[in-house]
Structure formats: C-alpha cells, structure tokens
Amino acid sequence: MKGLFFSSPGTLELRGKTLTFILDTGEEVFTLPLSSSYRVQYPWYYFGAGVVLTIDGTRYRISFIQQGEDGDIRTCSQNGNVWREKLTPS
C-alpha cells in the first residue's frame, strides 16, 4: 500500500522458508529468508486483512484486499490469519 488510496498490486509468495513479493509488472520488491531478522506487525485498523513488514529498516505495508474488491472483510481477515501463522517467527 502507498498512502491511503493507492497500492501496487502483486503477489506475496512463500516458497519453503523464503518470502517474496513480486509486483504484477514482474518487479521483485523483496526476498526475505524467514531465518533472517525482520519485524512483523498487524495493526488493529487493518482488521486482520493486512500486515506491516519491516525488513532492513524498510517498511512494507501489505493488504490482503485486492484493489477495487467489494469482498467480505471476513474473507480478507481469514487470508490475513493464514499469513499471520506463516510469518510469525517461531
């Protein structure tokens, strides 16, 4: 997400123990081995449908709601819960 009203659509992928975010344009935004140091936050005002990752001092705000989606916030929150389980350091 960029600002309040704009985001860059892409795909968040977890392959093995490596997390990657790739924009729909094909540009790779980050690759994160989950064994490395990172911070993960779930702000209450995202209602479980988003996460803030801080990697090497850079903040990435990720929403699990697609642009223009009129979907149910519960479904998006459920998607967020799945990612919470995957991203929370054990």
Side-chain angles (χ1 to χ4, degrees), residues 8-50:
S8 298
T11 303
L12 190 63
E13 294 181 348
L14 182 61
R15 292 187 180 175
K17 296 286 184 180
T18 301
L19 181 71
T20 305
F21 184 69
I22 302 170
L23 297 177
D24 286 353
T25 61
E27 178 187 354
E28 186 175 290
V29 177
F30 64 79
T31 295
L32 172 69
L34 294 184
S35 59
S36 65
S37 179
Y38 64 96
R39 184 174 181 194
V40 60
Q41 297 171 285
Y42 302 92
W44 66 267
Y45 44 85
Y46 286 5
F47 300 104

Side-chain angles (χ1 to χ4, degrees), residues 1 4 8 15 20 22-24 33 35 40 43-44 47-49 56 58-60 70 76 78 80-81 83 85 88-89:
M1 296 187 303
L4 293 175
S8 298
R15 292 187 180 175
T20 305
I22 302 170
L23 297 177
D24 286 353
S35 59
V40 60
W44 66 267
F47 300 104
D56 295 329
T58 302
R59 290 181 59 202
Y60 299 96
D70 293 331
C76 299
Q78 289 170 350
N81 287 335
W83 279 105
E85 290 177 22
T88 301

